[in-house]
Amino acid sequence: MRRSASTKALFLTFFFFLLTCLIANSATHNITRSSSKDKTHRKKCSKTPPPPPPPPDLPNPQKGLSFADQRLLVVYPVIQKFKSIITSDPLNITKTWVGSDICKYKGFFCDNPPYNLSAIALASIDFNGFQLGASSLDGFLDQLPDIALFHANSNNFSGTISSKIANLPYLYELDISNNLFSGPFPTAVLGMNGLTFLDIRFNFFTGSVPPQIFTQDLDALFLNNNNFMQSLPDNLGSSHIILLTLANNNFNGPIPSSIAKALSSLTEVLLLNNQLTDKVEQLSFAGNLLFGLVPEVICDQLLNLANFSLSNNYFIHVGPICQSLIQRGLLDVTNNCIPGLPFQRSVEECADFFAHPMFCPNMGSYIYIPCKCRPLLKSQNLQVIAAMSLSRVTLFAFQRT
């Protein structure tokens, strides 16, 4: 009996021990599962939230518009952006800048680009006299890839000229005269090989003018009525420019001796109202094909010359002021075709000369006076300087046919 009781007690002890282990193991397992679930939950909560839905499409100004050419589609937003910064439009010009037919916008002109004669592109802009106001042309002019002519005189545009205009391959006429531009000379025009006409007069440009511009292949360079301050460059004599106006600035110092060489191509050069210190004493146009009347205005302006030669040409008349210079020995008109004066060409030689057809290039421009746009902006010290109007309303050179 004792053994049986002892065995029974041992069995119960083992049973309770085993039950305790099972309970402890179950509790540990539940804790582990709970911890694992918490970790999984935390892991799920740490994931990046999904991105927000994309914003709705913004209105597209080109939507619903049909353009005659892709090139016009490209410049449409450029024009509309420029329109948005116009601050003054007294003539209501910009009200026509609506729709896809850019070629009918006032001031805009289309043509076939040189690289594709079947295409249509914005080729020319003429804002002359529109009185538009804007703080800058940046982002407009320099973003018109096919532009060839840009004329915008007599407006209220200001700011500086973007260097990016140098990337316009077809631009050959740039007129921004009579505006409010300021800053240094727009050096972007240097090296623009296609540019033949540059007019920046009646603005507020300052500093110096790069000498390279005088030897660039320009027909016309109008710089007058700004605030340029420098001496005239020595390379002025190498210029091939036909029309050059430097008047009403602050050019100073001597007139380069090389200017006489430049006169072979110049038909007009205006230097008046600067601070040049040289006095022109000798001026010669001898040995050319100049003809017509010797202009009295030239003789009147050059009374202080020591010698003025028009010999070996084909002039036919001199007025009283020029006569007085001849009598004083200051004007040489020998070997011309002037009746009543000694040492002239023979009648036969003069008749043969005038028997050939002759014409003056750009005849319509001879009545145009570049500095006659508006009154001078400021008074300046006046010194006697050369005011030479050589071929416009004065001395005419011609070409034989």
Side-chain angles (χ1 to χ4, degrees), residues 13-83:
T13 302
F14 176 78
F15 175 79
F16 283 115
F17 174 79
L18 180 62
L19 181 61
T20 302
C21 288
L22 287 174
I23 292 172
N25 184 57
S26 177
T28 303
H29 180 69
N30 287 337
I31 292 172
T32 304
R33 288 184 62 189
S34 176
S35 175
S36 176
K37 286 181 179 180
D38 288 344
K39 288 181 180 178
T40 302
H41 180 70
R42 285 195 299 270
K43 187 174 182 182
K44 286 182 179 179
C45 291
S46 65
K47 284 185 178 179
T48 304
D57 292 337
L58 297 174
N60 186 351
Q62 291 105 304
K63 192 173 183 179
L65 296 179
S66 177
F67 294 86
D69 193 289
Q70 179 70 19
R71 295 161 186 80
L72 300 179
L73 171 63
V74 169
V75 300
Y76 174 82
V78 175
I79 298 171
Q80 296 305 314
K81 181 180 179 182
F82 179 63
K83 178 181 177 180

Side-chain angles (χ1 to χ4, degrees), residues 55-189:
D57 292 337
L58 297 174
N60 186 351
Q62 291 105 304
K63 192 173 183 179
L65 296 179
S66 177
F67 294 86
D69 193 289
Q70 179 70 19
R71 295 161 186 80
L72 300 179
L73 171 63
V74 169
V75 300
Y76 174 82
V78 175
I79 298 171
Q80 296 305 314
K81 181 180 179 182
F82 179 63
K83 178 181 177 180
S84 70
I85 67 168
I86 296 291
T87 57
S88 175
D89 182 13
L91 304 180
N92 293 318
I93 300 298
T94 58
K95 72 177 182 180
T96 69
W97 299 0
V98 178
S100 61
D101 197 351
I102 293 174
C103 305
K104 289 187 178 179
Y105 289 8
K106 193 166 185 179
F108 292 80
F109 301 90
C110 298
D111 204 345
N112 310 117
Y115 55 86
N116 187 345
L117 298 182
S118 63
I120 301 175
L122 177 60
S124 173
I125 288 179
D126 185 357
F127 291 166
N128 288 352
F130 281 3
Q131 303 175 47
L132 297 173
S135 60
S136 177
L137 292 180
D138 290 2
F140 176 56
L141 172 58
D142 53 280
Q143 296 299 314
L144 304 175
D146 296 299
I147 200 73
L149 291 89
F150 186 82
H151 290 186
N153 73 53
S154 302
N155 285 279
N156 292 298
F157 297 136
S158 58
T160 57
I161 303 301
S162 171
S163 60
K164 295 179 181 179
I165 66 169
N167 299 323
L168 301 175
Y170 308 113
L171 185 64
Y172 69 91
E173 286 194 11
L174 178 60
D175 179 0
I176 54 171
S177 61
N178 203 22
N179 278 281
L180 303 172
F181 292 107
S182 59
F185 180 91
T187 55
V189 301

Side-chain angles (χ1 to χ4, degrees), residues 341-387:
L341 292 184
F343 309 109
Q344 299 297 299
R345 297 179 187 271
S346 67
V347 174
E348 292 77 14
E349 187 178 0
C350 292
D352 179 67
F353 175 83
F354 288 104
H356 292 82
M358 59 189 80
F359 68 93
C360 298
N362 304 315
M363 190 68 183
S365 68
Y366 292 162
I367 60 172
Y368 170 67
I369 303 176
C371 292
K372 199 179 179 181
C373 182
R374 67 185 183 195
L376 298 183
L377 299 177
K378 59 183 179 179
S379 60
Q380 293 177 306
N381 294 328
L382 303 182
Q383 292 182 314
V384 178
I385 47 180

